[in-house]
Amino acid sequence: MPTTPRMSVARHILIDCPEHGEENRLTPQPDSHDRYALGFTSGALLARETGIAAPLYLDSHDWGEVRGRLSEDNLLQARTASSAERLARETVQRLTVFNDLELELLVEASPSERSLLLWVAACRRYSFIGEFAEEVVRERYLLLTPSLGYAEFDSFVSGKALWHPELAELKDSTVKKLRATVFRMLTEAGLLVDGQIQQAVLSERVREALDARQPSDVRFLPVRVPTEAVQ
């Protein structure tokens, strides 16, 4: 069953997806649903890219400067100027969901910690991914039905399209690209192996960082609560 959509006051919503152009700003009427931002197909978790960008920000505390350096100096080693700009923009957008303490943790993190943090970053940045993580991935894990395939993703999209007509307007090729990217993210985060959802193993410091937000961002991960944090 689809969940009741959040209601919001009129405000600017950034749409960044293949079906709506690169950056379109819309002002919905009061009480309209928020259109999903779907521009997350540039890479997957972006672990390498965020490993370059996060330290730059901690030095300058200026995301505009970081984005400029990433694209102009091609620090992310993109093949073309346009892809360098696109990848720099997406990397910065993902990282801006973190505060300074979280960014410091990201820089210091082990590969497994970093992967989980970057999955959470994608969930924060894109409510579409966050809702899929919470309503499908974590729910199936808690119900002891850990298998996860394309059918579950397609069912999720169909359900959400009742409240988000922009999903019904997407081309099949775009839906497939979104689906492939989300499953690649889950795989890179170590949360999906051979079609089976894997429990997220949280270190104490990552768990504390996620629990610092209300509601806790642990909701985006396949874990049971309470859970033991590893040292």
Side-chain angles (χ1 to χ4, degrees):
M1 295 292 292
T3 57
T4 302
R6 301 187 189 93
M7 312 305 280
S8 65
V9 298
R11 60 185 177 86
H12 285 93
I13 304 297
L14 175 64
I15 306 299
D16 183 9
C17 77
E19 295 298 313
H20 297 86
E22 200 166 86
E23 291 184 351
N24 298 315
R25 293 189 179 276
L26 306 177
T27 306
Q29 296 300 313
D31 296 329
S32 68
H33 69 77
D34 290 352
R35 294 173 67 89
Y36 283 132
L38 300 171
F40 52 79
T41 56
S42 296
L45 284 186
L46 303 177
R48 181 184 66 85
E49 292 80 1
T50 54
I52 295 170
L56 292 177
Y57 174 77
L58 292 174
D59 285 340
S60 67
H61 293 278
D62 185 332
W63 283 119
E65 178 182 331
V66 171
R67 178 171 167 175
R69 289 188 60 186
L70 291 176
S71 58
E72 293 167 13
D73 298 339
N74 195 21
L75 298 182
L76 303 182
Q77 300 178 341
R79 294 184 178 180
T80 65
S82 60
S83 60
E85 171 60 26
R86 184 170 57 252
L87 193 55
R89 180 181 66 247
E90 180 60 21
T91 300
V92 167
Q93 287 181 340
R94 298 273 187 96
L95 289 178
T96 55
V97 303
F98 290 132
N99 61 35
D100 284 4
L101 290 177
E102 291 170 330
L103 284 170
E104 290 173 2
L105 174 57
L106 184 70
V107 170
E108 299 172 356
S110 68
S112 59
E113 289 176 321
R114 183 175 296 114
S115 294
L116 292 178
L117 287 169
L118 292 177
W119 169 251
V120 169
C123 292
R124 289 184 188 176
R125 170 71 180 91
Y126 296 103
S127 58
F128 175 85
I129 298 177
E131 290 171 15
F132 181 71
E134 188 173 3
E135 298 171 18
V136 180
V137 179
R138 187 164 187 266
E139 187 70 11
R140 290 183 68 80
Y141 176 78
L142 293 176
L143 293 176
L144 304 180
T145 54
S147 62
L148 182 69
Y150 286 175
E152 285 72 41
F153 183 91
D154 294 346
S155 178
F156 171 79
V157 172
S158 296
K160 290 298 182 179
L162 297 174
W163 304 109
H164 291 267
E166 68 271 19
L167 294 179
E169 298 167 2
L170 296 177
K171 297 177 181 178
D172 288 344
S173 59
T174 301
V175 174
K176 290 178 180 178
K177 190 171 184 180
L178 296 174
R179 184 178 64 193
T181 302
V182 170
F183 274 70
R184 183 180 167 192
M185 287 181 179
L186 284 165
T187 300
E188 290 184 3
L191 300 177
L192 187 67
V193 176
D194 295 330
Q196 299 293 307
I197 300 167
Q198 305 298 305
Q199 178 177 332
V201 180
L202 298 174
S203 65
E204 182 176 357
R205 60 182 181 174
V206 168
R207 179 59 183 266
E208 288 177 353
L210 300 183
D211 279 342
R213 293 172 65 99
Q214 293 299 323
S216 170
D217 279 354
V218 171
R219 72 188 188 278
F220 297 132
L221 297 170
V223 294
R224 292 182 175 83
V225 179
T227 185
E228 294 291 336
V230 299
Q231 299 298 322

